[in-house]
Amino acid sequence: DSGVTQTPKHLITATGQRVTLRCSPRSGDLSVYWYQQSLDQGLQFLIQYYNGEERAKGNILERFSAQQFPDLHSELNLSSLELGDSALYFCASSVALHGELFFGEGSRLTVL
Amino acid sequence: QQQVKQSPQSLIVQKGGISIINCAYENTAFDYFPWYQQFPGKGPALLIAIRPDVSEKKEGRFTISFNKSAKQFSLHIMDSQPGDSATYFCATRGGSSNTGKLIFGQGTTLQVKP
């Protein structure tokens, strides 16, 4: 158990809908990362927050947004969902800006 | 995004054999090179990591070999066991941006046959 908690574990929804994925980092970790894992794209970096502030942005679609709250948990919002958004979404945390990343078990999103 | 190229995509090894996975990177400013192991239904977990000031790091049956001039690094799994069957990802970090994000390779699915 990495100590990173992600909910929900599975989510099935329809095209055009909006979902929110939640991540609780390890106790004491200030940095949160979101990654998307699909079969043909590997692990793609989406976004990083550090102590509530956006720190780095990857190839995150404009339909996607995220935030980190004062209690350090993070949410990834996915809107106007398309079939191609079906993937595993991983959250990771690290104690500092640079540090070992600990991954959660992921949220599997299926868009029908 | 800057890329990390990983090969092979899949690998089948007999129990007791040596598994070798290779990665190549582009940015000479990268300064951290970890390998992550992922089992089905689980998130990736750090297996072993190296920094560019050394050419090799060994932890148990797992060894990273690092070639700075060639911009390549590899994972060697000695005496491979069926329990090592998983997907392995190389990654890099560093460069000009002040962020802890990791850039991952495409992954290698390893199957160790009993």
PDB file of all heavy atoms in Angstrom, chain A residues 25-55:
ATOM      1  N   PRO A  25      -3.253  12.341  -1.063  1.00  0.00           N
ATOM      2  CA  PRO A  25      -1.835  11.973  -1.077  1.00  0.00           C
ATOM      3  C   PRO A  25      -1.428  11.314   0.230  1.00  0.00           C
ATOM      4  O   PRO A  25      -2.185  11.276   1.196  1.00  0.00           O
ATOM      5  CB  PRO A  25      -1.129  13.325  -1.249  1.00  0.00           C
ATOM      6  CG  PRO A  25      -2.064  14.308  -0.639  1.00  0.00           C
ATOM      7  CD  PRO A  25      -3.445  13.783  -0.925  1.00  0.00           C
ATOM      8  N   ARG A  26      -0.212  10.788   0.272  1.00  0.00           N
ATOM      9  CA  ARG A  26       0.357  10.252   1.494  1.00  0.00           C
ATOM     10  C   ARG A  26       0.422  11.369   2.535  1.00  0.00           C
ATOM     11  O   ARG A  26       0.633  12.531   2.192  1.00  0.00           O
ATOM     12  CB  ARG A  26       1.758   9.712   1.261  1.00  0.00           C
ATOM     13  CG  ARG A  26       1.863   8.507   0.391  1.00  0.00           C
ATOM     14  CD  ARG A  26       3.298   7.965   0.409  1.00  0.00           C
ATOM     15  NE  ARG A  26       4.299   9.016   0.413  1.00  0.00           N
ATOM     16  CZ  ARG A  26       5.515   8.910   0.929  1.00  0.00           C
ATOM     17  NH1 ARG A  26       5.884   7.763   1.494  1.00  0.00           N
ATOM     18  NH2 ARG A  26       6.378   9.901   0.876  1.00  0.00           N
ATOM     19  N   SER A  27       0.275  10.984   3.780  1.00  0.00           N
ATOM     20  CA  SER A  27       0.354  11.969   4.846  1.00  0.00           C
ATOM     21  C   SER A  27       1.690  12.709   4.785  1.00  0.00           C
ATOM     22  O   SER A  27       2.752  12.084   4.748  1.00  0.00           O
ATOM     23  CB  SER A  27       0.211  11.252   6.192  1.00  0.00           C
ATOM     24  OG  SER A  27       0.350  12.153   7.253  1.00  0.00           O
ATOM     25  N   GLY A  28       1.631  14.017   4.735  1.00  0.00           N
ATOM     26  CA  GLY A  28       2.835  14.827   4.715  1.00  0.00           C
ATOM     27  C   GLY A  28       3.341  15.191   3.336  1.00  0.00           C
ATOM     28  O   GLY A  28       4.213  16.066   3.205  1.00  0.00           O
ATOM     29  N   ASP A  29       2.816  14.534   2.308  1.00  0.00           N
ATOM     30  CA  ASP A  29       3.263  14.851   0.948  1.00  0.00           C
ATOM     31  C   ASP A  29       2.594  16.131   0.468  1.00  0.00           C
ATOM     32  O   ASP A  29       1.389  16.299   0.580  1.00  0.00           O
ATOM     33  CB  ASP A  29       2.956  13.702  -0.013  1.00  0.00           C
ATOM     34  CG  ASP A  29       3.923  12.551   0.132  1.00  0.00           C
ATOM     35  OD1 ASP A  29       4.805  12.632   1.011  1.00  0.00           O
ATOM     36  OD2 ASP A  29       3.802  11.575  -0.642  1.00  0.00           O
ATOM     37  N   LEU A  30       3.396  17.027  -0.099  1.00  0.00           N
ATOM     38  CA  LEU A  30       2.888  18.309  -0.553  1.00  0.00           C
ATOM     39  C   LEU A  30       2.606  18.342  -2.056  1.00  0.00           C
ATOM     40  O   LEU A  30       1.887  19.217  -2.529  1.00  0.00           O
ATOM     41  CB  LEU A  30       3.896  19.411  -0.230  1.00  0.00           C
ATOM     42  CG  LEU A  30       4.215  19.630   1.257  1.00  0.00           C
ATOM     43  CD1 LEU A  30       5.265  20.720   1.405  1.00  0.00           C
ATOM     44  CD2 LEU A  30       2.957  20.012   2.028  1.00  0.00           C
ATOM     45  N   SER A  31       3.206  17.434  -2.786  1.00  0.00           N
ATOM     46  CA  SER A  31       3.107  17.466  -4.246  1.00  0.00           C
ATOM     47  C   SER A  31       2.197  16.345  -4.741  1.00  0.00           C
ATOM     48  O   SER A  31       2.296  15.206  -4.274  1.00  0.00           O
ATOM     49  CB  SER A  31       4.504  17.311  -4.853  1.00  0.00           C
ATOM     50  OG  SER A  31       4.534  17.799  -6.165  1.00  0.00           O
ATOM     51  N   VAL A  32       1.333  16.693  -5.670  1.00  0.00           N
ATOM     52  CA  VAL A  32       0.417  15.729  -6.274  1.00  0.00           C
ATOM     53  C   VAL A  32       0.570  15.789  -7.788  1.00  0.00           C
ATOM     54  O   VAL A  32       0.674  16.874  -8.364  1.00  0.00           O
ATOM     55  CB  VAL A  32      -1.039  16.026  -5.874  1.00  0.00           C
ATOM     56  CG1 VAL A  32      -2.002  15.182  -6.692  1.00  0.00           C
ATOM     57  CG2 VAL A  32      -1.262  15.766  -4.400  1.00  0.00           C
ATOM     58  N   TYR A  33       0.578  14.633  -8.401  1.00  0.00           N
ATOM     59  CA  TYR A  33       0.709  14.510  -9.856  1.00  0.00           C
ATOM     60  C   TYR A  33      -0.466  13.690 -10.388  1.00  0.00           C
ATOM     61  O   TYR A  33      -0.899  12.732  -9.738  1.00  0.00           O
ATOM     62  CB  TYR A  33       1.994  13.776 -10.235  1.00  0.00           C
ATOM     63  CG  TYR A  33       3.256  14.282  -9.578  1.00  0.00           C
ATOM     64  CD1 TYR A  33       3.535  14.003  -8.246  1.00  0.00           C
ATOM     65  CD2 TYR A  33       4.185  15.019 -10.305  1.00  0.00           C
ATOM     66  CE1 TYR A  33       4.707  14.445  -7.652  1.00  0.00           C
ATOM     67  CE2 TYR A  33       5.364  15.460  -9.720  1.00  0.00           C
ATOM     68  CZ  TYR A  33       5.615  15.169  -8.393  1.00  0.00           C
ATOM     69  OH  TYR A  33       6.776  15.613  -7.810  1.00  0.00           O
ATOM     70  N   TRP A  34      -0.907  14.012 -11.580  1.00  0.00           N
ATOM     71  CA  TRP A  34      -1.914  13.203 -12.266  1.00  0.00           C
ATOM     72  C   TRP A  34      -1.314  12.670 -13.569  1.00  0.00           C
ATOM     73  O   TRP A  34      -0.680  13.412 -14.330  1.00  0.00           O
ATOM     74  CB  TRP A  34      -3.163  14.022 -12.571  1.00  0.00           C
ATOM     75  CG  TRP A  34      -4.003  14.310 -11.376  1.00  0.00           C
ATOM     76  CD1 TRP A  34      -4.013  15.434 -10.606  1.00  0.00           C
ATOM     77  CD2 TRP A  34      -4.994  13.436 -10.807  1.00  0.00           C
ATOM     78  NE1 TRP A  34      -4.930  15.313  -9.600  1.00  0.00           N
ATOM     79  CE2 TRP A  34      -5.552  14.105  -9.701  1.00  0.00           C
ATOM     80  CE3 TRP A  34      -5.461  12.151 -11.116  1.00  0.00           C
ATOM     81  CZ2 TRP A  34      -6.551  13.538  -8.910  1.00  0.00           C
ATOM     82  CZ3 TRP A  34      -6.447  11.595 -10.328  1.00  0.00           C
ATOM     83  CH2 TRP A  34      -6.984  12.286  -9.245  1.00  0.00           C
ATOM     84  N   TYR A  35      -1.546  11.380 -13.785  1.00  0.00           N
ATOM     85  CA  TYR A  35      -1.100  10.721 -15.011  1.00  0.00           C
ATOM     86  C   TYR A  35      -2.276   9.973 -15.638  1.00  0.00           C
ATOM     87  O   TYR A  35      -3.152   9.480 -14.936  1.00  0.00           O
ATOM     88  CB  TYR A  35       0.013   9.711 -14.724  1.00  0.00           C
ATOM     89  CG  TYR A  35       1.371  10.325 -14.490  1.00  0.00           C
ATOM     90  CD1 TYR A  35       1.737  10.814 -13.241  1.00  0.00           C
ATOM     91  CD2 TYR A  35       2.290  10.409 -15.530  1.00  0.00           C
ATOM     92  CE1 TYR A  35       2.987  11.378 -13.039  1.00  0.00           C
ATOM     93  CE2 TYR A  35       3.544  10.966 -15.335  1.00  0.00           C
ATOM     94  CZ  TYR A  35       3.882  11.452 -14.089  1.00  0.00           C
ATOM     95  OH  TYR A  35       5.132  12.010 -13.894  1.00  0.00           O
ATOM     96  N   GLN A  36      -2.245   9.875 -16.961  1.00  0.00           N
ATOM     97  CA  GLN A  36      -3.225   9.096 -17.692  1.00  0.00           C
ATOM     98  C   GLN A  36      -2.502   7.898 -18.312  1.00  0.00           C
ATOM     99  O   GLN A  36      -1.427   8.055 -18.906  1.00  0.00           O
ATOM    100  CB  GLN A  36      -3.857   9.945 -18.807  1.00  0.00           C
ATOM    101  CG  GLN A  36      -4.893   9.214 -19.648  1.00  0.00           C
ATOM    102  CD  GLN A  36      -5.304  10.028 -20.873  1.00  0.00           C
ATOM    103  OE1 GLN A  36      -4.460  10.420 -21.677  1.00  0.00           O
ATOM    104  NE2 GLN A  36      -6.583  10.297 -21.014  1.00  0.00           N
ATOM    105  N   GLN A  37      -3.076   6.712 -18.134  1.00  0.00           N
ATOM    106  CA  GLN A  37      -2.478   5.518 -18.712  1.00  0.00           C
ATOM    107  C   GLN A  37      -3.467   4.839 -19.646  1.00  0.00           C
ATOM    108  O   GLN A  37      -4.518   4.391 -19.221  1.00  0.00           O
ATOM    109  CB  GLN A  37      -2.024   4.529 -17.637  1.00  0.00           C
ATOM    110  CG  GLN A  37      -1.304   3.313 -18.207  1.00  0.00           C
ATOM    111  CD  GLN A  37      -0.792   2.377 -17.139  1.00  0.00           C
ATOM    112  OE1 GLN A  37      -1.449   2.137 -16.128  1.00  0.00           O
ATOM    113  NE2 GLN A  37       0.408   1.837 -17.346  1.00  0.00           N
ATOM    114  N   SER A  38      -3.127   4.817 -20.914  1.00  0.00           N
ATOM    115  CA  SER A  38      -3.919   4.071 -21.880  1.00  0.00           C
ATOM    116  C   SER A  38      -3.007   3.073 -22.561  1.00  0.00           C
ATOM    117  O   SER A  38      -1.793   3.173 -22.489  1.00  0.00           O
ATOM    118  CB  SER A  38      -4.565   5.010 -22.900  1.00  0.00           C
ATOM    119  OG  SER A  38      -3.584   5.839 -23.491  1.00  0.00           O
ATOM    120  N   LEU A  39      -3.629   2.091 -23.232  1.00  0.00           N
ATOM    121  CA  LEU A  39      -2.860   0.983 -23.786  1.00  0.00           C
ATOM    122  C   LEU A  39      -1.799   1.445 -24.777  1.00  0.00           C
ATOM    123  O   LEU A  39      -0.687   0.963 -24.794  1.00  0.00           O
ATOM    124  CB  LEU A  39      -3.799  -0.020 -24.457  1.00  0.00           C
ATOM    125  CG  LEU A  39      -4.532  -0.956 -23.505  1.00  0.00           C
ATOM    126  CD1 LEU A  39      -5.534  -1.809 -24.248  1.00  0.00           C
ATOM    127  CD2 LEU A  39      -3.548  -1.815 -22.721  1.00  0.00           C
ATOM    128  N   ASP A  40      -2.139   2.410 -25.605  1.00  0.00           N
ATOM    129  CA  ASP A  40      -1.217   2.809 -26.661  1.00  0.00           C
ATOM    130  C   ASP A  40      -0.396   4.048 -26.331  1.00  0.00           C
ATOM    131  O   ASP A  40       0.428   4.476 -27.122  1.00  0.00           O
ATOM    132  CB  ASP A  40      -1.999   3.055 -27.955  1.00  0.00           C
ATOM    133  CG  ASP A  40      -3.058   4.133 -27.779  1.00  0.00           C
ATOM    134  OD1 ASP A  40      -3.372   4.475 -26.624  1.00  0.00           O
ATOM    135  OD2 ASP A  40      -3.569   4.641 -28.789  1.00  0.00           O
ATOM    136  N   GLN A  41      -0.598   4.625 -25.157  1.00  0.00           N
ATOM    137  CA  GLN A  41       0.107   5.865 -24.833  1.00  0.00           C
ATOM    138  C   GLN A  41       0.954   5.782 -23.581  1.00  0.00           C
ATOM    139  O   GLN A  41       1.585   6.737 -23.197  1.00  0.00           O
ATOM    140  CB  GLN A  41      -0.909   7.012 -24.663  1.00  0.00           C
ATOM    141  CG  GLN A  41      -1.603   7.402 -25.940  1.00  0.00           C
ATOM    142  CD  GLN A  41      -0.669   8.049 -26.921  1.00  0.00           C
ATOM    143  OE1 GLN A  41       0.228   8.798 -26.557  1.00  0.00           O
ATOM    144  NE2 GLN A  41      -0.837   7.740 -28.197  1.00  0.00           N
ATOM    145  N   GLY A  42       0.969   4.642 -22.928  1.00  0.00           N
ATOM    146  CA  GLY A  42       1.778   4.540 -21.726  1.00  0.00           C
ATOM    147  C   GLY A  42       1.284   5.488 -20.645  1.00  0.00           C
ATOM    148  O   GLY A  42       0.117   5.834 -20.571  1.00  0.00           O
ATOM    149  N   LEU A  43       2.205   5.942 -19.808  1.00  0.00           N
ATOM    150  CA  LEU A  43       1.877   6.861 -18.706  1.00  0.00           C
ATOM    151  C   LEU A  43       2.151   8.283 -19.167  1.00  0.00           C
ATOM    152  O   LEU A  43       3.296   8.693 -19.327  1.00  0.00           O
ATOM    153  CB  LEU A  43       2.728   6.541 -17.480  1.00  0.00           C
ATOM    154  CG  LEU A  43       2.263   5.405 -16.595  1.00  0.00           C
ATOM    155  CD1 LEU A  43       3.403   4.920 -15.715  1.00  0.00           C
ATOM    156  CD2 LEU A  43       1.098   5.853 -15.727  1.00  0.00           C
ATOM    157  N   GLN A  44       1.097   9.046 -19.357  1.00  0.00           N
ATOM    158  CA  GLN A  44       1.227  10.425 -19.816  1.00  0.00           C
ATOM    159  C   GLN A  44       0.996  11.402 -18.659  1.00  0.00           C
ATOM    160  O   GLN A  44      -0.037  11.351 -17.988  1.00  0.00           O
ATOM    161  CB  GLN A  44       0.218  10.702 -20.924  1.00  0.00           C
ATOM    162  CG  GLN A  44       0.449   9.877 -22.180  1.00  0.00           C
ATOM    163  CD  GLN A  44       1.726  10.241 -22.893  1.00  0.00           C
ATOM    164  OE1 GLN A  44       1.996  11.413 -23.165  1.00  0.00           O
ATOM    165  NE2 GLN A  44       2.549   9.229 -23.198  1.00  0.00           N
ATOM    166  N   PHE A  45       1.949  12.291 -18.463  1.00  0.00           N
ATOM    167  CA  PHE A  45       1.840  13.290 -17.406  1.00  0.00           C
ATOM    168  C   PHE A  45       0.783  14.319 -17.761  1.00  0.00           C
ATOM    169  O   PHE A  45       0.763  14.857 -18.872  1.00  0.00           O
ATOM    170  CB  PHE A  45       3.195  13.964 -17.216  1.00  0.00           C
ATOM    171  CG  PHE A  45       3.163  15.154 -16.309  1.00  0.00           C
ATOM    172  CD1 PHE A  45       2.994  14.998 -14.945  1.00  0.00           C
ATOM    173  CD2 PHE A  45       3.282  16.432 -16.826  1.00  0.00           C
ATOM    174  CE1 PHE A  45       2.956  16.102 -14.104  1.00  0.00           C
ATOM    175  CE2 PHE A  45       3.256  17.540 -15.998  1.00  0.00           C
ATOM    176  CZ  PHE A  45       3.093  17.376 -14.637  1.00  0.00           C
ATOM    177  N   LEU A  46      -0.096  14.591 -16.814  1.00  0.00           N
ATOM    178  CA  LEU A  46      -1.134  15.578 -17.049  1.00  0.00           C
ATOM    179  C   LEU A  46      -0.819  16.901 -16.337  1.00  0.00           C
ATOM    180  O   LEU A  46      -0.743  17.951 -16.962  1.00  0.00           O
ATOM    181  CB  LEU A  46      -2.491  15.047 -16.575  1.00  0.00           C
ATOM    182  CG  LEU A  46      -3.038  13.840 -17.329  1.00  0.00           C
ATOM    183  CD1 LEU A  46      -4.373  13.395 -16.720  1.00  0.00           C
ATOM    184  CD2 LEU A  46      -3.206  14.147 -18.804  1.00  0.00           C
ATOM    185  N   ILE A  47      -0.640  16.831 -15.012  1.00  0.00           N
ATOM    186  CA  ILE A  47      -0.487  18.067 -14.257  1.00  0.00           C
ATOM    187  C   ILE A  47       0.104  17.770 -12.884  1.00  0.00           C
ATOM    188  O   ILE A  47      -0.046  16.660 -12.367  1.00  0.00           O
ATOM    189  CB  ILE A  47      -1.849  18.799 -14.147  1.00  0.00           C
ATOM    190  CG1 ILE A  47      -1.683  20.265 -13.783  1.00  0.00           C
ATOM    191  CG2 ILE A  47      -2.794  18.065 -13.206  1.00  0.00           C
ATOM    192  CD1 ILE A  47      -2.921  21.108 -14.040  1.00  0.00           C
ATOM    193  N   GLN A  48       0.798  18.754 -12.318  1.00  0.00           N
ATOM    194  CA  GLN A  48       1.365  18.651 -10.981  1.00  0.00           C
ATOM    195  C   GLN A  48       0.961  19.858 -10.146  1.00  0.00           C
ATOM    196  O   GLN A  48       0.981  20.998 -10.627  1.00  0.00           O
ATOM    197  CB  GLN A  48       2.893  18.576 -11.030  1.00  0.00           C
ATOM    198  CG  GLN A  48       3.561  18.542  -9.654  1.00  0.00           C
ATOM    199  CD  GLN A  48       5.041  18.858  -9.705  1.00  0.00           C
ATOM    200  OE1 GLN A  48       5.587  19.170 -10.762  1.00  0.00           O
ATOM    201  NE2 GLN A  48       5.706  18.763  -8.564  1.00  0.00           N
ATOM    202  N   TYR A  49       0.629  19.603  -8.900  1.00  0.00           N
ATOM    203  CA  TYR A  49       0.395  20.660  -7.933  1.00  0.00           C
ATOM    204  C   TYR A  49       1.367  20.496  -6.781  1.00  0.00           C
ATOM    205  O   TYR A  49       1.722  19.374  -6.400  1.00  0.00           O
ATOM    206  CB  TYR A  49      -1.039  20.612  -7.397  1.00  0.00           C
ATOM    207  CG  TYR A  49      -2.034  21.195  -8.361  1.00  0.00           C
ATOM    208  CD1 TYR A  49      -2.567  20.419  -9.386  1.00  0.00           C
ATOM    209  CD2 TYR A  49      -2.416  22.531  -8.281  1.00  0.00           C
ATOM    210  CE1 TYR A  49      -3.443  20.961 -10.294  1.00  0.00           C
ATOM    211  CE2 TYR A  49      -3.301  23.078  -9.188  1.00  0.00           C
ATOM    212  CZ  TYR A  49      -3.807  22.286 -10.191  1.00  0.00           C
ATOM    213  OH  TYR A  49      -4.683  22.814 -11.104  1.00  0.00           O
ATOM    214  N   TYR A  50       1.795  21.626  -6.258  1.00  0.00           N
ATOM    215  CA  TYR A  50       2.668  21.620  -5.092  1.00  0.00           C
ATOM    216  C   TYR A  50       2.102  22.604  -4.079  1.00  0.00           C
ATOM    217  O   TYR A  50       2.042  23.812  -4.336  1.00  0.00           O
ATOM    218  CB  TYR A  50       4.103  21.985  -5.465  1.00  0.00           C
ATOM    219  CG  TYR A  50       5.034  22.047  -4.287  1.00  0.00           C
ATOM    220  CD1 TYR A  50       5.467  20.881  -3.667  1.00  0.00           C
ATOM    221  CD2 TYR A  50       5.466  23.266  -3.788  1.00  0.00           C
ATOM    222  CE1 TYR A  50       6.313  20.933  -2.570  1.00  0.00           C
ATOM    223  CE2 TYR A  50       6.309  23.333  -2.697  1.00  0.00           C
ATOM    224  CZ  TYR A  50       6.737  22.156  -2.090  1.00  0.00           C
ATOM    225  OH  TYR A  50       7.566  22.202  -1.000  1.00  0.00           O
ATOM    226  N   ASN A  51       1.695  22.081  -2.947  1.00  0.00           N
ATOM    227  CA  ASN A  51       1.177  22.896  -1.850  1.00  0.00           C
ATOM    228  C   ASN A  51       0.084  23.862  -2.328  1.00  0.00           C
ATOM    229  O   ASN A  51       0.081  25.037  -1.957  1.00  0.00           O
ATOM    230  CB  ASN A  51       2.316  23.671  -1.197  1.00  0.00           C
ATOM    231  CG  ASN A  51       1.995  24.059   0.233  1.00  0.00           C
ATOM    232  OD1 ASN A  51       1.124  23.462   0.873  1.00  0.00           O
ATOM    233  ND2 ASN A  51       2.685  25.054   0.738  1.00  0.00           N
ATOM    234  N   GLY A  52      -0.780  23.342  -3.170  1.00  0.00           N
ATOM    235  CA  GLY A  52      -1.930  24.119  -3.617  1.00  0.00           C
ATOM    236  C   GLY A  52      -1.742  24.890  -4.905  1.00  0.00           C
ATOM    237  O   GLY A  52      -2.717  25.414  -5.466  1.00  0.00           O
ATOM    238  N   GLU A  53      -0.512  24.953  -5.391  1.00  0.00           N
ATOM    239  CA  GLU A  53      -0.267  25.736  -6.605  1.00  0.00           C
ATOM    240  C   GLU A  53       0.096  24.822  -7.772  1.00  0.00           C
ATOM    241  O   GLU A  53       0.849  23.860  -7.609  1.00  0.00           O
ATOM    242  CB  GLU A  53       0.874  26.722  -6.367  1.00  0.00           C
ATOM    243  CG  GLU A  53       0.528  27.808  -5.370  1.00  0.00           C
ATOM    244  CD  GLU A  53       1.600  28.887  -5.288  1.00  0.00           C
ATOM    245  OE1 GLU A  53       2.586  28.792  -6.056  1.00  0.00           O
ATOM    246  OE2 GLU A  53       1.446  29.802  -4.471  1.00  0.00           O
ATOM    247  N   GLU A  54      -0.408  25.164  -8.947  1.00  0.00           N
ATOM    248  CA  GLU A  54      -0.035  24.420 -10.143  1.00  0.00           C
ATOM    249  C   GLU A  54       1.451  24.611 -10.405  1.00  0.00           C
ATOM    250  O   GLU A  54       1.944  25.737 -10.433  1.00  0.00           O
ATOM    251  CB  GLU A  54      -0.860  24.906 -11.336  1.00  0.00           C
ATOM    252  CG  GLU A  54      -0.554  24.162 -12.623  1.00  0.00           C
ATOM    253  CD  GLU A  54      -1.335  24.733 -13.796  1.00  0.00           C
ATOM    254  OE1 GLU A  54      -2.574  24.851 -13.709  1.00  0.00           O
ATOM    255  OE2 GLU A  54      -0.681  25.072 -14.816  1.00  0.00           O
ATOM    256  N   ARG A  55       2.154  23.499 -10.635  1.00  0.00           N
ATOM    257  CA  ARG A  55       3.596  23.580 -10.794  1.00  0.00           C
ATOM    258  C   ARG A  55       4.055  23.200 -12.193  1.00  0.00           C
ATOM    259  O   ARG A  55       5.061  23.715 -12.682  1.00  0.00           O
ATOM    260  CB  ARG A  55       4.255  22.639  -9.788  1.00  0.00           C
ATOM    261  CG  ARG A  55       5.695  22.906  -9.594  1.00  0.00           C
ATOM    262  CD  ARG A  55       5.893  24.211  -8.854  1.00  0.00           C
ATOM    263  NE  ARG A  55       7.296  24.582  -8.822  1.00  0.00           N
ATOM    264  CZ  ARG A  55       7.777  25.590  -8.136  1.00  0.00           C
ATOM    265  NH1 ARG A  55       6.962  26.347  -7.414  1.00  0.00           N
ATOM    266  NH2 ARG A  55       9.059  25.883  -8.149  1.00  0.00           N
TER     267      ARG A  55
END
